[in-house]
Amino acid sequence: MQLIVTRPRAQAAGWVRELQALGQAASALPLIEITALDDPAPVRQAWLGLGQRALVMFVSANAVMHFFAAAPPGSGWSAGVLAGSTGPGTSAALRSAGVPAPLLVEPAADAPKFDSEALWERLAGRQWAGRSVLVVRGEDGRDWLAETLRERGAAVDFVAAYRRRPPALTAGEQALLRQALADPAGHLWLFSSSEAVGHLRILAPAADWTRSAALASHPRIAQAARAAGFGRVDLVAPRPAAVAAAA
């Protein structure tokens, strides 16, 4: 069974290597393209005010990568400012970027799912009235955590650090897509984004997915895959070992 990793290209390559090391056949077919914004000024401005924040929440590893890439020269993480993460990949990116471990707030390791709600469980016990929070994300995204923090009295701002686009597939990736369509029983899709499912539907608008199977890292993503017509969709934790065990 060939596992198809649909994460953005930079993350997909790492996932493929880890899955192959675990003995799972895997290939990358990135279904989201991540690009930098044309104007980095808003992110640089956000860095200048970093020390005034109680929390900076990052929605993904891509948010971390592009936020830190746009940091003014000599910038470092401000003492006492919490860095919020929604899951293991984002946490790893924050550690690699130099955020001190005591300032990293993330879902519990045994959380049933990794998302804003799971992060909130680790933040809910803190005092948020009058505190300033920044959410680093793409050009759009869910506002659930921001609204929850505002209900607790926090002032919440957003900054877009990157742009998501439909992918431009290479010749090899197009061939992999054709193989998966021709042999659904021999391929298993791994989705980490509902948007990736939507892009797949655009790339193969006439495809019949009823004989295809998928793994999804969140219930919302699983719902999107089922709506696309996938015959079997299973939930899986967003860790290579868990994915390899479920494949």
Side-chain angles (χ1 to χ4, degrees):
M1 177 75 71
Q2 185 80 9
L3 185 67
I4 301 176
V5 180
T6 63
R7 288 174 176 265
R9 187 164 279 105
Q11 286 80 46
W15 270 75
V16 167
R17 286 193 299 270
E18 291 194 51
L19 288 163
Q20 290 175 343
L22 292 167
Q24 172 60 53
S27 299
L29 203 167
L31 290 179
I32 297 177
E33 182 178 353
I34 302 295
T35 63
L37 298 178
D38 297 332
D39 182 10
V43 175
R44 291 175 181 165
Q45 189 64 35
W47 270 99
L48 296 178
L50 195 67
Q52 303 169 13
R53 304 289 183 177
L55 168 71
V56 181
M57 183 269 194
F58 295 86
V59 303
S60 66
N62 286 305
V64 176
M65 180 178 69
H66 286 277
F67 186 78
F68 278 83
S75 299
W77 196 256
S78 298
V81 178
L82 298 177
S85 160
T86 56
T90 306
S91 296
L94 286 166
R95 294 187 187 97
S96 296
V99 174
L103 297 177
L104 177 58
V105 184
E106 59 186 332
D110 60 351
K113 56 185 178 178
F114 297 107
D115 56 11
S116 296
E117 288 86 342
L119 174 59
W120 174 244
E121 292 184 9
R122 308 302 289 265
L123 296 171
R126 298 175 182 266
Q127 175 58 249
W128 293 106
R131 311 299 297 278
S132 177
V133 175
L134 177 67
V135 177
V136 183
R137 64 180 187 180
E139 289 183 307
D140 51 29
R142 295 182 68 221
D143 293 340
W144 183 89
L145 183 61
E147 293 304 320
T148 302
L149 285 162
R150 284 170 176 154
E151 289 172 1
R152 293 292 189 95
V156 183
D157 299 311
F158 297 92
V159 65
Y162 62 95
R163 177 179 293 121
R164 292 189 299 268
R165 292 177 174 173
L169 299 184
T170 65
E173 291 161 357
Q174 293 173 12
L176 177 58
L177 176 57
R178 290 193 296 270
Q179 292 166 12
L181 290 171
D183 180 22
H187 295 78
L188 177 64
W189 293 82
L190 174 61
F191 294 117
S192 57
S193 165
S194 299
E195 192 172 12
V197 179
H199 290 167
L200 180 60
R201 298 178 76 171
I202 293 171
L203 289 168
D208 177 6
W209 300 106
T210 56
R211 294 187 296 127
S212 297
L215 300 175
S217 60
H218 192 278
R220 283 190 299 273
I221 303 170
Q223 183 179 6
R226 294 187 183 105
F230 276 80
R232 178 172 65 85
V233 181
D234 297 322
L235 284 172
V236 65
R239 297 189 181 93
V243 170

